[in-house]
Amino acid sequence: MRIVCQKCAAAYAIDDRLITAKGVRAQCPRCRNLQLVRRDSSAVPSGDAPAAAPRPASSAPPVADDLFAELGGAAPSAPTEVSAAHGRAAKPAADLFADFGAPPPAAGPAPDVDPFASLGDLPASAGGDPLLDFLGPAPTAPPAPVARMSPGPGAVPVSVMPPVSAAPAPARAAAPAAAAAPKSATMGCRTCGKPLLDPFDQALGICDGCRQREAAGGAAKAAAPIAVPSASADFLPPLSAPEGEVGSLEFTATAPPLATEPRSNPRAAMAPELATEPRSGKRAAATSRVQSGVRSGSAEKQVARGSSGGRWALVGGLVLLAAGSGVGGYYYLQQQEAQRRHTEAPPPVAAIPEAVQQVLPRWKLKYLVLEGTAQEHLAEGQAQLARDERFAYAEAEESFQQALLLEPRSDEAIGGYIQAVALGRGPGLDDATFAEASSLVEAAESRAGRTTWLLLAHANLLLTRFRQDEPLKRAKELAEEVLANAQATPAQKADAHLVLGRVYLSSSGALAHQHFDSAQKLAPELKRIQYYRALAHESAGEYRLALDTLLKRLAADPRDWDTLAATSRLYQEVGEPAEARKLYEARAKADPGELRALLPLAVLRYQSEGSPAVAVRELRVLLKNRERYGQRDVAEVLVHLAAAERALGNSDAALKAAEEALGLSQDLPDAHLQVFLVALERKDAEKARKHLDGIKGWTGDRALESVLEGRVLLLEKKPAQALERFTDASSRDERRLDAQLLAGVAAAGAKRREDAFRVLNQALRADPMRLEPRALVTRFWMRPSDTVRGVEDIILALAENADDPGPHLYEGLLRFHQGDLDAADRHFREVLESDSNNAGAMAYRALIALRRGNASEARVMAARAVSAGRQLPVAHLAQGWVLAEAKQVEPAKRSLREALGLSPTLLSAKARLAQLEVPQRRDDARAQLVSVVGLDPAYLPAKRMLYLLER
């Protein structure tokens, strides 16, 4: 049996014996398409099988199914007669193609070459038209006779009959056995004239050789009408859409000529010959249809309605073909595009940087439930940054963390997080977070490029280490790069000018003000400009101007808590705590119950006013209303309560308050500090070590952290390692006299007498008026002598005999800086009993007498110290202070100049000399005080003098 593929129109043969009664699925050898093939009831399975009996010629056929009926035409009603005016045969036919053998009518001219003339008689079968086997069972009665349209212009329908047969249709129908015999050559090839013996060649009107030549170079002609299967057709749809849809349309057009080939023809089993025919491809099948010019049975029945109806049916078929081809082509292209996208490698996805991967697990523990999208959190963080407030920076930091958790590839979230951390925490940013933030911003820069907003965030991050030269230099370079970028916005350039102004704060006040002015012009709404401008005035010693700038900002926005805190701090540092109290009292009256106003009032009591007992009482009142505040706020109140209790000497109450604060929030380094200091007092090394880890990296003072770690090592009986920590602290900050004293203690604990005396002798020659740089207003509050408490009597173990003055001299020095003046004076007396000319012991005895108010003893001891030790700076310093207190200005100036000549780092001598020169040399005195503040911003006596000088 000959089959045409519904998908690619390739023709192939199937053995009839393989086809069951219900049909079989056949696979195309070319495109592998599967389709249902049913058994052809008209085929003769063997030579012995009897032929089916013909139907009577006189039986009236019922109305046939019209395959073009859905185009809008009405089905004909059993046309048994055809009008002679149109040249139709006026007799019924039992077969759809039975009229192929009728003679041409005289009413119209027949075509010169009729490709259908040689088709001869078709076998009458009980199963219906074999041409439409793939559509399912045939109609119950044979369709009405169909006429063919002549190809000439103005032609009328004519019957198609072979000229060699003159028998009437009933006679042909009565002889079905003749259909099985081969047909004689009734026509020749229209191209070469060769007789056509093969019924298939006769149906096409061309021999096989000419077909192959035309397939290679022939021009395409107009396509034949397409017969669309009816809705009742029983066939399997193609397995691959939409390509199968196009193939099924071409199959219906190609099927009629293939179906006319007798199945007894031996050529039907020759698959190799069929492979060379033009019907094996889509273009070749179209060419074959054009050359044959054969219409399907349904099309010819449509022509029987009249020439006008046939033309409209033809137009409808073409329209349907075009529409089907367009839809099929569209879906074909869509499928091809989908397959291409599927086979193509997906675009590379940017890998998440390692720095981001390291922070995400820890941040996920902080935000167990995340709501919203990354863009929502990103927008929220940007809005919080725009508020330009310290508390808003903390909120922005959390928003950007959540945005990065939701979208780890967001460089905008990284930049916003870095900016919030840098501006919100400032110099208090711990080392671990600084290193983490540095790795994040560097990863974002490597991925997103050196964009302006990333450069600004990086620069602000570097400024948190403003005491280090290298970070300041890099921040300056980044800000200059932003200013050189033509695409930077005015707001970004204003931020760059702010970075440069902050870089010059400690070196050039004029340049700092210049950059702040430029930032003011570009972005006048930035609140930070006024704050940094006030810092510039402060670094230049212009405290009046600094306070005026901050007060103007407060007048514009009284609820600007950052500006309020900065103004209060400055008032306290210049020795005006009462003015700071007025600010917060006014704010507390305007906002009753506001913790940000009430808590600073209590902190003022123990940090600046020296009233820790009053501070404890006020703090406990706040804790009675703890339900009104958040958990974090309550923890902050508890930390200050612990510090105030420790200032009173109540270690147990301080420990309880600090541990309660840690119970509310574990990441409170100031609470860890209070517990740590209590553990030092109690010599609890294990507890001190545990809470040291909660302090390191958070204070913003690496030298202080090294001192605290050395203290723990001393408790752990590791004096050699402690000595390394104290030496590191002293090298980091030369102002830390406590580190030098503790280094001597550690060397003494390690039984290294010479090292201990060498280090302690340097401490003896240092400034006796200050132990360490200490912030007055801070969350990490410590008493002045907390770092050197609890290390007594270790130096005395170095004594070689009872008369050895060295250990007593340095033990007295330690006790002096601990604030134990009685013990210190006792040890200095022991020294003078063994060495009556010891200048160091006499100088410190003079300072002790001066603090006690014993001016006469102080004057005697100072004179003896200078006489015994002309090269000892502290002896000249003690004499200068004693003479200044006695109102002997000029002798005091001479002594202080002597001290500075021997040791220029004696800031107390420099500040006292400037104070004495104010009446005569005001400008010089002011310059001296400004230099003192520049060398040590925490030297509060110089700030007080400058403030009074301006007033």
Side-chain angles (χ1 to χ4, degrees):
M1 181 176 179
R2 186 69 58 89
I3 305 300
V4 176
C5 178
Q6 295 176 354
K7 183 174 181 181
C8 67
Y12 56 95
I14 297 179
D15 192 347
D16 292 341
R17 293 171 296 180
L18 299 178
I19 303 175
T20 63
K22 295 184 179 180
V24 68
R25 286 181 179 270
Q27 186 177 34
C28 176
R30 183 183 183 195
C31 66
R32 305 298 180 184
N33 179 48
L34 288 174
Q35 66 188 59
L36 180 64
V37 179
R38 296 183 182 275
R39 176 180 294 172
D40 188 357
S41 60
S42 64
V44 180
S46 64
D48 301 331
R55 294 181 181 270
S58 60
S59 62
V63 179
D65 291 339
D66 189 3
L67 296 183
F68 282 90
E70 57 188 39
L71 294 180
S77 56
T80 56
E81 293 184 356
V82 181
S83 173
H86 295 284
R88 296 175 182 167
K91 56 181 176 50
D95 191 356
L96 181 63
F97 294 94
D99 59 341
F100 280 9
D112 296 336
V113 179
D114 189 356
F116 299 95
S118 62
L119 292 180
D121 296 333
L122 293 178
S125 64
D129 189 357
L131 176 65
L132 302 177
D133 283 344
F134 75 101
L135 295 178
T140 57
V146 182
R148 189 181 68 84
M149 181 69 69
S150 174
V156 295
V158 295
S159 60
V160 181
M161 295 183 62
V164 297
S165 178
R172 290 196 308 273
K183 305 294 187 299
S184 59
T186 59
M187 63 179 297
C189 175
R190 68 169 178 265
T191 302
C192 63
K194 178 182 177 182
L196 299 178
L197 301 177
D198 191 347
F200 185 77
D201 294 342
Q202 294 174 1
L204 297 180
I206 188 172
C207 66
D208 184 57
C210 294
R211 278 202 311 273
Q212 295 181 13
R213 285 193 297 272
E214 289 190 6
K221 300 180 182 179
I226 302 298
V228 181
S230 64
S232 62
D234 184 14
F235 71 103
L236 283 179
L239 297 180
S240 59
E243 292 179 2
E245 297 174 4
V246 179
S248 65
L249 292 174
E250 295 189 1
F251 172 78
T252 58
T254 315
L258 291 177
T260 59
E261 182 178 359
R263 288 164 177 78
S264 59
N265 194 340
R267 289 175 61 92
M270 293 183 174
E273 268 190 47
L274 293 175
T276 62
E277 294 180 359
R279 289 168 288 143
S280 60
K282 296 181 180 180
R283 284 183 172 272
T287 306
S288 170
R289 294 194 299 270
V290 171
Q291 291 172 349
S292 65
V294 180
R295 296 183 180 90
S296 66
S298 299
E300 294 191 9
K301 286 189 293 183
Q302 186 72 9
V303 173
R305 302 179 189 176
S307 60
S308 176
R311 290 190 182 94
W312 282 111
L314 179 62
V315 172
L318 293 176
V319 171
L320 186 61
L321 172 63
S325 300
V327 172
Y330 170 77
Y331 284 108
Y332 175 78
L333 293 177
Q334 290 287 5
Q335 185 185 25
Q336 293 298 318
E337 180 66 19
Q339 291 178 355
R340 183 187 64 79
R341 287 195 301 265
H342 180 71
T343 55
E344 284 182 355
V349 179
I352 300 176
E354 183 179 356
V356 178
Q357 295 179 7
Q358 292 177 355
V359 303
L360 291 182
R362 188 176 70 256
W363 290 0
K364 287 180 180 178
L365 296 177
K366 186 177 180 182
Y367 308 104
L368 297 178
V369 178
L370 284 175
E371 298 179 354
T373 64
Q375 290 298 326
E376 292 175 353
H377 288 288
L378 198 62
E380 183 179 358
Q382 295 292 350
Q384 291 161 344
L385 276 182
R387 291 170 55 188
D388 206 7
E389 298 175 359
R390 182 171 62 89
F391 295 100
Y393 291 141
E395 297 173 358
E397 180 181 335
E398 296 180 354
S399 296
F400 288 121
Q401 284 178 339
Q402 296 176 43
L404 193 61
L405 284 173
L406 292 171
E407 180 47 65
R409 295 176 177 83
S410 176
D411 296 315
E412 292 83 357
I414 294 178
Y417 169 74
I418 300 302
Q419 186 84 329
V421 166
L423 297 179
R425 302 193 191 183
L429 182 65
D430 62 288
D431 292 342
T433 305
F434 176 81
E436 179 182 275
S438 299
S439 61
L440 284 174
V441 73
E442 289 171 0
E445 287 176 349
S446 64
R447 184 171 57 183
R450 299 181 67 81
T451 57
T452 54
W453 49 275
L454 279 177
L455 295 179
L456 288 173
H458 198 175
N460 283 310
L461 178 65
L462 293 171
L463 286 179
T464 61
R465 297 297 181 263
F466 66 94
R467 292 193 181 99
Q468 304 174 20
D469 294 336
E470 185 60 28
L472 285 179
K473 180 180 178 182
R474 291 183 58 198
K476 180 174 179 286
E477 293 173 353
L478 293 176
E480 291 174 345
E481 183 177 348
V482 172
L483 290 177
N485 191 344
Q487 298 180 352
T489 64
Q492 291 171 341
K493 290 185 177 181
D495 205 349
H497 280 295
L498 281 180
V499 171
L500 291 175
R502 294 171 62 189
V503 169
Y504 290 117
L505 275 178
S506 58
S507 59
S508 176
L511 287 176
H513 283 295
Q514 180 180 346
H515 285 290
F516 293 148
D517 291 339
S518 300
Q520 185 80 35
K521 294 177 182 178
L522 291 170
E525 72 282 355
L526 277 181
K527 301 176 183 179
R528 286 178 289 146
I529 298 176
Q530 299 299 332
Y531 176 76
Y532 293 133
R533 192 186 295 278
L535 292 183
H537 289 306
E538 181 183 359
S539 65
E542 300 170 343
Y543 300 112
R544 279 291 178 185
L545 291 176
L547 288 170
D548 290 343
T549 303
L550 294 173
L551 290 173
K552 288 179 181 178
R553 175 62 196 156
L554 278 178
D557 185 5
R559 295 180 59 85
D560 186 352
W561 299 102
D562 293 341
T563 304
L564 181 61
T567 309
S568 172
R569 175 191 59 80
L570 192 53
Y571 269 129
Q572 295 178 64
E573 289 182 352
V574 298
E576 297 289 341
E579 296 296 330
R581 175 167 292 279
K582 290 179 182 178
L583 290 174
Y584 280 111
E585 286 177 347
R587 194 72 261 140
K589 186 180 296 184
D591 296 322
E594 177 60 59
L595 186 64
R596 285 180 288 183
L598 298 176
L599 181 59
L601 287 172
V603 173
L604 268 169
R605 297 292 187 185
Y606 79 91
Q607 289 192 358
S608 297
E609 297 176 349
S611 303
V614 180
V616 169
R617 185 168 61 251
E618 293 181 358
L619 290 169
R620 292 194 180 277
V621 170
L622 291 177
L623 288 175
K624 289 180 180 179
N625 300 320
R626 64 170 64 196
E627 67 277 357
R628 297 168 53 185
Y629 312 122
Q631 185 172 316
R632 186 83 177 191
D633 294 334
V634 174
E636 188 177 358
V637 175
L638 287 169
V639 170
H640 286 292
L641 177 61
E645 292 282 11
R646 243 184 13 91
L648 283 175
N650 299 330
S651 298
D652 293 337
L655 181 62
K656 181 180 178 181
E659 289 180 341
E660 185 179 354
L662 289 175
L664 295 176
S665 180
Q666 284 292 328
D667 58 342
L668 286 175
D670 43 356
H672 285 289
L673 176 63
Q674 298 305 321
V675 178
F676 174 85
L677 293 174
V678 173
L680 282 185
E681 293 177 9
R682 298 180 176 182
K683 300 185 183 304
D684 188 345
E686 183 179 357
K687 194 167 191 175
R689 170 63 68 180
K690 174 183 177 182
H691 289 276
L692 177 66
D693 295 335
I695 303 170
K696 293 177 62 176
W698 285 96
T699 64
D701 189 345
R702 290 291 301 277
L704 172 62
E705 292 172 8
S706 295
V707 169
L708 297 179
E709 186 176 3
R711 286 300 311 271
V712 176
L713 291 170
L714 280 179
L715 287 178
E716 295 172 343
K717 307 300 181 182
K718 300 175 181 178
Q721 298 179 20
L723 177 59
E724 295 177 359
R725 300 299 186 276
F726 296 136
T727 303
D728 176 69
S730 181
S731 63
R732 287 179 180 274
D733 191 347
E734 296 179 354
R735 301 171 298 170
R736 299 210 69 94
L737 179 58
D738 58 346
Q740 294 181 3
L741 290 171
L742 291 170
V745 172
K751 307 300 181 183
R752 295 161 59 175
R753 175 186 172 95
E754 293 184 0
D755 291 338
F757 282 3
R758 176 178 54 79
V759 175
L760 290 171
N761 185 54
Q762 295 176 359
L764 183 69
R765 302 171 67 89
D767 194 339
M769 299 300 181
R770 54 197 313 273
L771 180 64
E772 77 281 316
R774 176 172 165 268
L776 180 61
V777 182
T778 176
R779 54 189 292 209
F780 301 102
W781 188 84
M782 300 172 63
R783 291 174 296 185
S785 57
D786 273 341
T787 55
V788 294
R789 292 176 183 265
V791 292
E792 302 84 4
D793 300 330
I794 297 177
I795 300 176
L796 292 177
L798 296 176
E800 295 177 346
N801 51 62
D803 296 331
D804 190 353
H808 286 283
L809 175 65
Y810 298 126
E811 183 71 19
L813 177 64
L814 176 63
R815 295 301 183 94
F816 175 84
H817 287 291
Q818 285 180 344
D820 191 353
L821 297 182
D822 293 337
D825 190 53
R826 185 175 63 251
H827 283 289
F828 289 134
R829 287 177 184 273
E830 291 286 342
V831 173
L832 291 177
E833 289 180 2
S834 302
D835 183 6
S836 59
N837 291 324
N838 192 297
M842 289 185 287
Y844 273 93
R845 285 200 65 197
L847 293 174
I848 292 173
L850 186 62
R851 290 189 181 184
R852 289 175 173 174
N854 191 346
S856 60
E857 183 181 359
R859 188 165 50 252
V860 172
M861 285 297 169
R864 289 179 59 187
V866 171
S867 176
R870 292 281 182 183
Q871 300 301 316
L872 185 63
V874 69
H876 293 280
L877 174 66
Q879 186 178 39
W881 274 88
V882 169
L883 294 173
E885 291 295 328
K887 306 302 180 181
Q888 299 180 18
V889 177
E890 292 303 325
K893 289 181 182 180
R894 285 195 299 270
S895 295
L896 293 173
R897 290 192 184 102
E898 288 285 344
L900 287 173
L902 295 172
S903 177
T905 60
L906 290 176
L907 297 183
S908 59
K910 198 171 187 177
R912 187 60 169 161
L913 178 60
Q915 185 181 15
L916 294 174
E917 290 181 343
V918 167
Q920 293 83 20
R921 303 170 59 185
R922 184 185 183 89
D923 294 339
D924 291 345
R926 188 183 185 285
Q928 290 291 331
L929 293 173
V930 170
S931 66
V932 171
V933 174
L935 292 172
D936 185 4
Y939 196 79
L940 302 183
K943 288 189 172 184
R944 174 66 177 173
M945 294 176 192
L946 278 172
Y947 178 76
L948 295 176
L949 185 62
E950 291 179 351
R951 188 173 60 178

